[in-house]
Amino acid sequence: MAKDTINLGTGKISTLLFKLSMPAIIAQLVNLLYNIVDRIYIGRMPSGEIAMAGIGVAFPVIIIVSAFSSLVGMGGAPLAAIKMGEGNDDGAEHILTNSFSLLILISIVLTSLVLIFKEPILWAFGASATTIGYSLDYLNIYILGTISVQMALGMNPYINTQGFAKVGMTTVIVGAITNIVLDPIFIFGFKMGVKGAALATVIAQTVSAIWVLTFLFKNSKLKIKRKYLKPKWDIVKKTLALGVS
């Protein structure tokens, strides 16, 4: 995979912009496509309109989970890039590994809070007696995959920031393909309905997370190191300060 890297230190700016932006654009288009396909499948279920409304109520929770992954990923990756630019790869790996630990902690907290307060949260976001069942069916399964979402979305920026744009794009593509394939199998084949859609999404995010972590543990320039697993407040503070935007 190392051959897929882009030389960020000496490459021409216009060329770098193209090479880094195109994989990111393709990844976003694929991500949009599989979200659309996901909803097409759900819409074709019996009572599909109500099921769609129920998932819509749960959607803000999904956005919040994704936002926390961006908080760490978008906050820490630029800091790691600065360290790499300084020639301090150990410092960059410290930031990378601290972000990995932080995402695990966030996953535990988010999962626990949502499981405890899921019904009040869904009622607050507009659930009704008709839609609450679908919302709970989806959220109960989706939230168990929080750690996969955090790893897939939160650690992927560390791949892109090293110049492995195609590898970062593949993270999204492998998840999208997995989700598109599994959706009809679980929703209609196993007659799981909304639960099947949630399970397909969790499995897809898990596949993406395994892809990301395998790369960061074995194949990237910067690697997750055991000695840096303990969060360092100075790194966490800077990461959160930059990522909160």
Side-chain angles (χ1 to χ4, degrees), residues 4 23 27 156 164-176 208 211:
D4 293 329
N156 205 41
F164 296 100
K166 291 181 181 178
V167 179
M169 175 186 69
T170 306
T171 300
V172 177
I173 292 176
V174 295
S208 292
W211 171 269

Side-chain angles (χ1 to χ4, degrees), residues 89-98 221-223 225 228:
D89 286 353
D90 282 341
E93 287 183 333
H94 203 156
I95 295 170
L96 166 66
T97 307
N98 263 213
K221 297 175 183 175
L222 303 180
K223 293 180 174 61
K225 297 289 183 65
Y228 295 139

Side-chain angles (χ1 to χ4, degrees), residues 11-90:
K12 188 178 179 182
I13 296 297
S14 58
T15 302
L16 289 175
L17 284 173
F18 179 80
K19 287 185 176 180
L20 289 171
S21 63
M22 285 308 298
I25 291 170
I26 293 171
Q28 289 299 317
L29 289 174
V30 171
N31 189 54
L32 177 63
L33 173 64
Y34 98 78
N35 280 319
I36 292 173
V37 172
D38 201 32
R39 282 154 182 74
I40 290 173
Y41 285 134
I42 295 170
R44 291 181 178 274
M45 291 168 43
S47 303
E49 292 182 359
I50 300 175
M52 285 290 292
I55 292 175
V57 172
F59 194 67
V61 180
I62 297 170
I63 293 296
I64 290 170
V65 171
S66 299
F68 274 97
S69 66
S70 296
L71 170 68
V72 177
M74 298 299 183
L79 297 176
I82 292 171
K83 291 295 182 182
M84 291 180 68
E86 295 172 350
N88 185 2
D89 286 353
D90 282 341

Side-chain angles (χ1 to χ4, degrees), residues 18 51 61 66 79 111 129 135 141 146 178 220 229:
F18 179 80
V61 180
S66 299
L79 297 176
T111 302
S135 300
I141 294 176
T146 297
T178 302
S220 68
L229 282 173

Side-chain angles (χ1 to χ4, degrees), residues 79-219:
L79 297 176
I82 292 171
K83 291 295 182 182
M84 291 180 68
E86 295 172 350
N88 185 2
D89 286 353
D90 282 341
E93 287 183 333
H94 203 156
I95 295 170
L96 166 66
T97 307
N98 263 213
S99 294
F100 172 74
S101 300
L102 188 58
L103 286 169
I104 292 175
L105 293 174
I106 288 173
S107 299
I108 294 170
V109 172
L110 285 178
T111 302
S112 301
L113 289 176
V114 173
L115 287 176
I116 294 170
F117 300 108
K118 57 192 173 185
E119 287 202 45
I121 291 172
L122 291 173
W123 287 115
F125 283 135
S128 66
T130 306
T131 61
I132 188 67
Y134 291 103
S135 300
L136 286 171
D137 283 348
Y138 191 89
L139 193 58
N140 280 334
I141 294 176
Y142 180 88
I143 201 63
L144 296 178
T146 297
I147 190 165
S148 294
V149 175
Q150 296 297 313
M151 292 300 157
L153 301 182
M155 298 305 289
N156 205 41
Y158 286 96
I159 294 178
N160 293 324
T161 203
Q162 296 177 67
F164 296 100
K166 291 181 181 178
V167 179
M169 175 186 69
T170 306
T171 300
V172 177
I173 292 176
V174 295
I177 293 174
T178 302
N179 192 71
I180 290 171
V181 171
L182 293 180
D183 257 342
I185 295 174
F186 289 144
I187 293 173
F188 303 114
F190 295 154
K191 302 185 185 304
M192 294 178 65
V194 168
K195 293 180 180 178
L199 182 58
T201 300
V202 169
I203 293 174
Q205 292 288 6
T206 302
V207 170
S208 292
I210 291 171
W211 171 269
V212 169
L213 294 179
T214 298
F215 186 81
L216 290 175
F217 272 107
K218 294 183 177 181
N219 300 310

